[in-house]
């Protein structure tokens, strides 16, 4: 404080206070000094100050941008390489099938499907996670035994870059190329349960399509991030699918690419929270950005629950059992109950843990009842692990086999063991 | 006016200070805006989201309510735990304890079910009427159902469930390659026959419910397939109904309680099998019967420790005392490891990999490695936990490597969960043949119908 003689200000301090540009010289080319307060000089000074600010802030912006998103953004016109490019898979596959009639792509009158699921190679964060993974795979074993579908349970991370939910992409590609006899790869999350043991996917409905997911066209048009669900979907074994996988994988590689892709997805999809890129959002983004290229072969199915959001279903099971019967697959008797957000293998759920666990137990028992019924048993209640007899043993068990066997009614419907087309 | 109070110089200083701080604030503001545009500001969102929100707000009245975003039903359950942390959740809250079943009449002898005497005829009739479900998939390839299971309760040992999961994955892999169906049981069908005896009512129920099954293959949950290429020699058993790993001398001569193993066995679907199940079961009902039977078995069998009757000892006793009745149709197999005691196998895996190859099924490359005594699901096993778990990992990887090699991968070591590539991807995937020929094995091929036209 106190009076300061401007002449006594040290040169260092003067330059620190003054702006770090050429205009802070005590004189400039147009003759305005720092101390000139005439209108013209004031305007010039203001202009030069503004110019300085602009340059300063512009450099800061560029520096900040460089720091956040890195040099050279990954472009979505390039795809991540899941393997060497294959361009004639349809022809190669057809040749193979012709040469190997003992491995046909149609069995029992329907296209051969392979159910693919899996979980990480190490134990879950808590014991209860592994226990439910075990129950859920038992559930899938039951459904697939009844419907004559093979299962691949994967516990290996094939590509360290494509970890987490992305791990399914290299796995699916690998299985397609190794098993030309498989017509459809059916990916199913480890947290999804079959709750309609009798429902058979109407595969012939998708003869003209290559990708079937549960979803809604109107939500898709709005680019909602939950417009479709990649927790349970069918992908045909063909060239189109290989190409889709390659392009889809572009947002997957972990680290900078996945993080940056996550921001793009959050910015472009409706309702998406901020987190790294996931396969579901990436697929929605990809399909909606390149509709013409892909959508004629994509079927958004909502006439039955190829994926059914659990929270809307689990409290209705008792009413469902009272009013309806298995085989419907839709809101009357949901085909699949999918526990999105419960994440039992992790440490934290998106919902209350107690609600998740109780609901998973109920859904499991609801499905298990449909299997046990054939053997004359059912659970004492949907929350109970114990079972009770609902049909006495007899000396002529085969009459019940004829009446109740789910498998026979399913396989019989699709034509039994007719010779492959 | 200010100049009157503070002096011109002061005012200019203040003006300069204001100008400089303007610079600072302007730059700060620009930085914040730019950052928000690039990385977002958490709950404060990004400019794109602002735009979307504005758009939504403007259009919301016209847009119909989404019928598909189904919300949870409101559950005003104030007592329920709202925590979303699995680690702190007490699982016993949801393990409902049920009332026990009515006590069975102690005077009534135990029975697995009403006596059936014409099962062979009933079954033959059914098979004739259902040609779509033959009991033989191909000549010499019977239809087989592999049966295994575990308790519906979480294991007492925290890692037990993880090992059960790996074990069933292992069985899924073998059975997929060999065209065998799986039944994973988690239900106690008969409370009296709990524990190791639970398999008896289950087996009987499955035989009677699935006449199309020719052989039922029971396998314990602590047994793993370690030879993915080995196919059971079905023709060898065409005149037998019950195949267990064991040795005739040890059972019939020594009455040794480990002369055979009931952790992995084959049982044909026929009247004889129903009969032997009926004769096997009486030592099983828990409580007094099982305890007393245990004492008899310890007394009568060689080397048996003292504990309640178990199904394996009971079978040794049954065969040793009634050889004439049952022995002819029982095959005690020791040419390959239908059951392989883990203690003598797991340390030799590296040696096996070096010297032999899958497909042998015997001591050179065991079909099954069975972790008897480890009890990974329970609290206490007969062996140190560390050794058991470590070896179970090795055995799992040993088997898994044979599956992974089909696809060009292998575990980095027998102890490692991680995998590495052993075969590069190619642009001609169909020309690749896996070493073991498991990709399209003969035992998976379907019979080509002579009338088919491609």
């Amino acid at each position: 404080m106190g009076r300061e003689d401007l002449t006594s200000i040290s040169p260092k301090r003067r330059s620190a206070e003054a702006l770090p540009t050429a205009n802070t010289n005590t004189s400039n080319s147009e003759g305005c000094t720092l101390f000139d307060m005439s209108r013209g000089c004031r305007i010039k000074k203001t202009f030069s100050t503004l110019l300085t600010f602009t340059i300063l802030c512009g450099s800061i912006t560029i520096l900040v941008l460089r720091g956040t998103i890195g040099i050279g953004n990954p472009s979505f016109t390039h795809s991540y390489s899941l393997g060497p490019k294959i361009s004639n898979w349809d022809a190669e596959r057809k040749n193979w099938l012709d040469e190997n009639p003992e491995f046909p792509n149609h069995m029992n009158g329907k296209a051969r499907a392979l159910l693919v699921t899996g979980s990480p190679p190490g134990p879950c964060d808590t014991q209860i996670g592994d226990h439910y993974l075990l129950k859920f795979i038992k559930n899938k074993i039951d459904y697939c035994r009844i419907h004559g579908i093979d299962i691949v349970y994967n516990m290996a991370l094939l590509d360290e870059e494509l970890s987490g939910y992305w791990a399914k992409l290299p796995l699916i590609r690998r299985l397609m190329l190794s098993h030309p006899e498989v017509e459809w790869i059916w990916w199913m999350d480890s947290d999804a349960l079959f709750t309609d043991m009798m429902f058979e996917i109407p595969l012939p409905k998708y003869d003209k399509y290559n990708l079937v997911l549960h979803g809604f066209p109107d939500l898709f048009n709005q680019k909602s991030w939950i417009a479709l669900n990649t927790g349970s979907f069918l992908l045909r074994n063909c060239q189109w699918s290989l190409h889709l996988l390659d392009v889809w994988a572009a947002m997957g590689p972990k680290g900078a690419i996945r993080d940056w892709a996550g921001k793009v997805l959050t910015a472009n999809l409706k309702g998406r929270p901020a987190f790294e890129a996931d396969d579901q959002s990436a697929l929605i983004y990809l399909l909606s950005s390149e509709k013409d290229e892909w959508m004629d072969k994509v079927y958004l199915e909502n006439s039955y629950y190829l994926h059914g959001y659990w929270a809307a279903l689990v409290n209705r099971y008792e009413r469902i059992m009272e009013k309806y019967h298995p085989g419907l697959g839709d809101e009357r008797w949901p085909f699949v109950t999918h526990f999105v957000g419960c994440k039992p293998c992790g440490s934290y759920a998106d919902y209350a843990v107690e609600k998740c666990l109780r609901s998973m137990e109920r859904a499991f028992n609801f499905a298990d009842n449909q299997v046990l019924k054939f053997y004359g048993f059912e659970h004492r209640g949907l929350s109970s692990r114990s079972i009770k007899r609902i049909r006495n043993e007899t000396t002529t068990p085969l009459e019940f086999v004829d009446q109740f066997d789910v498998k026979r009614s399913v396989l019989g419907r699709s034509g039994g063991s007719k010779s492959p087309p | 006016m200010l100049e009157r109070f503070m002096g011109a110089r002061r005012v200019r200083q203040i003006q300069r200070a204001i100008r400089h701080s303007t610079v600072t604030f302007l730059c700060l503001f620009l930085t914040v805006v730019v950052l928000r545009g690039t990385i977002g500001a958490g709950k404060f969102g990004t400019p794109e989201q602002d735009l979307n929100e504005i758009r939504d707000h403007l259009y919301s009245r016209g847009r119909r309510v989404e019928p598909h975003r189904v919300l949870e039903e409101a559950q005003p359950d104030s007592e329920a735990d709202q925590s979303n942390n699995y680690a702190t959740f007490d699982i016993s809250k949801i393990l409902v304890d049920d009332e026990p079943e009515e006590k069975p009449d102690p005077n009534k002898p135990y029975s697995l079910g009403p006596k059936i005497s014409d099962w062979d005829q009933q079954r033959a009739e059914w098979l004739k009427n259902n040609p779509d479900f033959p009991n033989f998939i191909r000549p010499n390839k019977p239809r087989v159902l592999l049966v295994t299971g575990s308790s519906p309760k979480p294991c007492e040992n925290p890692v037990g469930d993880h090992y059960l999961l790996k074990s069933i994955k292992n069985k899924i892999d073998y059975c997929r390659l060999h065209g065998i169906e799986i039944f994973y049981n988690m239900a106690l069908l008969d409370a009296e026959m709990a524990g190791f005896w639970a398999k008896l009512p289950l087996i009987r129920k499955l035989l009677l419910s699935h006449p199309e099954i020719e052989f039922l293959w029971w396998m314990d949950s602590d047994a793993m397939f370690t030879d993915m290429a080995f196919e059971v020699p079905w023709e060898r058993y065409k005149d037998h109904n019950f195949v267990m790993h064991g040795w005739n001398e040890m059972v019939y001569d020594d009455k040794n309680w480990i002369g055979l193993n009931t952790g992995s066995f084959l049982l044909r679907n026929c009247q004889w099998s129903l009969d032997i199940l009926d004769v096997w079961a009486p030592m099983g009902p828990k409580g007094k019967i099982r305890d007393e039977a245990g004492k008899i078995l310890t007394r009568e069998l060689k080397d048996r420790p003292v504990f309640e009757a178990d199904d394996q000892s009971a079978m040794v006793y049954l065969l040793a005392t009634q050889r004439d009745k049952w022995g002819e149709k029982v095959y005690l197999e020791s040419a390959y490891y239908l059951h392989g005691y883990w203690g003598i196998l797991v340390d030799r895996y590296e040696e096996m990999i070096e010297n032999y190859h899958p497909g042998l099924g015997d001591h050179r490359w065991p079909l099954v490695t069975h972790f008897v005594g480890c009890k990974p699901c329970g609290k206490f096993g007969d062996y140190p936990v560390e050794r058991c778990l470590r070896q179970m990992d090795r055995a799992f990887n040993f088997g898994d490597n044979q599956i992974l090699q089909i696809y060009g991968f292998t575990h980095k070591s027998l102890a490692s969960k991680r995998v590495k590539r052993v075969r590069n991807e190619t642009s001609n995937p169909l020309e690749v043949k896996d070493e073991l020929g498991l990709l399209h094995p003969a035992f998976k091929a379907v019979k080509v119908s002579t009338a088919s036209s491609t």
Side-chain angles (χ1 to χ4, degrees), chain B residues 27-77:
Chain B
C27 287
L28 264 175
F29 176 69
L30 277 174
T31 307
V32 167
V33 164
V34 162
L35 277 175
R36 188 165 175 270
T38 50
I39 60 173
K43 61 174 178 161
F44 297 110
T46 68
E48 313 286 346
Q49 289 177 346
D50 289 345
L51 190 57
N52 288 336
E53 274 172 31
I54 293 168
R55 203 188 284 141
D56 285 347
H57 190 68
L58 287 175
Y59 294 156
S60 64
R61 269 177 251 157
R63 209 182 52 199
R64 65 182 162 86
V65 172
E66 302 165 43
H68 315 296
R69 284 286 286 278
V70 187
L71 302 173
E72 294 182 27
E73 287 185 14
Q75 291 290 318
D77 187 359

Side-chain angles (χ1 to χ4, degrees), chain A residues 4 17 53 127 138 145 150-151 153 174 179 181 218 342 347 353 375 384-386 407-408, chain B residues 13 20 23 64 69 83-84 86 98 130 153 155 169 176 181-182 184 210 407 425 440 444:
Chain A
E4 281 174 304
E17 280 184 339
F53 290 164
Q127 172 192 3
K138 170 205 157 51
R145 180 184 63 250
D150 276 344
I151 300 177
Y153 193 98
R174 181 69 266 154
H179 294 287
E181 72 277 14
D218 49 351
C342 278
S347 296
V353 155
Y375 303 109
S384 172
R385 286 163 288 130
S386 312
K407 186 174 178 180
R408 294 178 57 242
Chain B
Q13 279 176 341
H20 292 160
V23 174
R64 65 182 162 86
R69 284 286 286 278
S83 160
N84 68 340
Y86 281 105
D98 302 299
N130 292 275
K153 280 193 296 219
C155 290
K169 173 214 157 39
R176 182 179 64 252
E181 291 182 334
I182 299 177
Y184 195 98
H210 293 286
Y407 305 109
E425 296 281 336
H440 297 100
K444 191 80 198 281

Side-chain angles (χ1 to χ4, degrees), chain B residues 95-244:
Chain B
L95 296 180
V96 174
D97 269 329
D98 302 299
E99 334 82 55
E101 276 189 41
E102 322 96 46
K103 288 254 181 308
D105 183 354
N107 295 324
K108 220 169 134 201
Y110 179 79
S111 160
L112 284 172
K115 182 100 182 108
I116 298 176
S117 313
D118 59 344
W119 179 236
D120 289 336
Q121 293 89 301
Q122 285 192 45
R123 188 172 169 249
E125 176 90 16
W126 188 92
L127 286 170
K128 200 167 67 139
N129 294 333
N130 292 275
D132 288 346
F133 295 90
N135 55 335
F136 275 78
I137 302 173
R138 278 191 313 280
N140 289 329
K141 174 77 172 172
R143 193 189 294 267
V144 180
L145 178 69
L146 186 119
V147 183
T148 185
S150 58
S151 166
K153 280 193 296 219
C155 290
E156 285 182 8
N157 180 346
V159 293
D161 287 289
H162 181 64
Y163 284 92
L164 287 175
L165 183 68
K166 285 173 91 158
S167 179
I168 187 56
K169 173 214 157 39
N170 167 278
K171 294 179 175 86
I172 288 172
D173 285 333
Y174 181 90
C175 292
R176 182 179 64 252
L177 258 48
H178 292 262
I180 294 173
E181 291 182 334
I182 299 177
F183 187 91
Y184 195 98
N185 182 55
M186 281 175 116
L188 181 58
L189 268 58
D190 186 339
E192 280 203 272
M193 301 286 270
F196 15 64
W197 290 96
K199 61 174 80 92
L200 264 66
L202 174 66
I203 289 173
R204 184 180 194 268
K205 174 54 82 175
L206 289 170
L207 290 177
L208 297 179
S209 305
H210 293 286
E212 74 277 12
I213 294 299
E214 183 62 22
F215 268 108
L216 191 147
W217 186 346
W218 167 266
M219 198 155 159
D220 279 357
S221 58
D222 56 358
M224 281 204 258
F225 284 104
T226 36
D227 189 337
M228 293 294 176
F230 184 84
E231 171 83 355
V232 168
W234 304 106
E235 325 79 70
R236 190 182 298 180
Y237 312 126
K238 62 181 173 19
D239 297 321
H240 297 86
N241 296 333
F242 197 176
V243 184
M244 286 170 281

Side-chain angles (χ1 to χ4, degrees), chain A residues 21 24 59 80 114 117 137 167 172 190 214 247 264-266 286 348 371:
Chain A
T21 66
T24 55
S59 351
Y80 176 79
L114 178 68
T117 184
I137 187 55
I172 291 174
S190 59
H214 185 267
V247 179
V264 173
L265 294 172
T266 302
L286 162 63
Y348 295 94
V371 177

Side-chain angles (χ1 to χ4, degrees), chain B residues 191-403:
Chain B
E192 280 203 272
M193 301 286 270
F196 15 64
W197 290 96
K199 61 174 80 92
L200 264 66
L202 174 66
I203 289 173
R204 184 180 194 268
K205 174 54 82 175
L206 289 170
L207 290 177
L208 297 179
S209 305
H210 293 286
E212 74 277 12
I213 294 299
E214 183 62 22
F215 268 108
L216 191 147
W217 186 346
W218 167 266
M219 198 155 159
D220 279 357
S221 58
D222 56 358
M224 281 204 258
F225 284 104
T226 36
D227 189 337
M228 293 294 176
F230 184 84
E231 171 83 355
V232 168
W234 304 106
E235 325 79 70
R236 190 182 298 180
Y237 312 126
K238 62 181 173 19
D239 297 321
H240 297 86
N241 296 333
F242 197 176
V243 184
M244 286 170 281
H245 183 270
W247 300 268
N248 284 334
E249 322 76 56
M250 280 185 76
V251 170
Y252 298 118
D253 300 338
D254 300 344
K255 287 195 200 160
N256 193 318
W257 82 296
I258 51 169
L260 51 76
N261 188 284
T262 52
S264 172
F265 62 82
L266 306 167
L267 190 65
R268 192 184 293 277
N269 191 351
C270 59
Q271 182 64 50
W272 183 98
S273 300
L274 296 182
D275 295 340
I276 202 170
L277 284 170
D278 279 339
V279 172
W280 192 2
M283 286 190 166
K286 68 180 185 207
K288 193 153 173 287
I289 298 178
R290 202 186 286 186
D291 294 336
E292 293 299 312
K295 292 181 193 145
I296 297 174
L297 293 172
T298 302
R299 194 181 65 223
E300 298 288 324
L301 301 181
K302 181 164 172 240
D303 291 346
R304 188 183 190 270
V306 176
F307 67 108
E308 57 178 17
D310 64 298
D311 60 304
Q312 180 172 302
S313 310
M315 179 50 62
V316 175
Y317 182 70
L318 194 160
L319 291 181
T321 54
Q322 299 182 47
R323 187 177 189 173
D324 299 335
K325 184 151 189 230
W326 307 103
E328 196 197 334
K329 292 291 186 183
V330 173
Y331 195 112
L332 293 182
E333 176 68 81
S334 52
Y336 63 91
Y337 279 130
L338 180 58
H339 138 87
Y341 170 56
W342 68 283
I344 58 171
L345 297 170
V346 291
D347 297 310
R348 297 179 36 231
Y349 287 143
E350 280 83 2
E351 178 203 314
M352 291 172 190
I353 292 169
E354 210 180 297
N355 297 319
Y356 303 114
H357 56 83
L360 303 169
D362 54 22
H363 61 280
R364 295 169 296 173
W365 201 288
L367 171 64
V368 170
T369 301
H370 184 190
F371 287 87
V372 275
C374 275
K375 303 181 198 165
C377 193
K379 262 206 182 110
F380 304 105
D382 303 336
Y383 301 93
V385 165
E386 182 63 30
R387 173 153 165 84
C388 274
L389 297 183
R390 205 186 287 272
Q391 297 307 326
M392 286 172 72
D393 284 332
R394 279 164 52 80
F396 172 84
N397 289 343
F398 182 78
D400 198 32
N401 276 348
Q402 298 164 51
I403 301 294

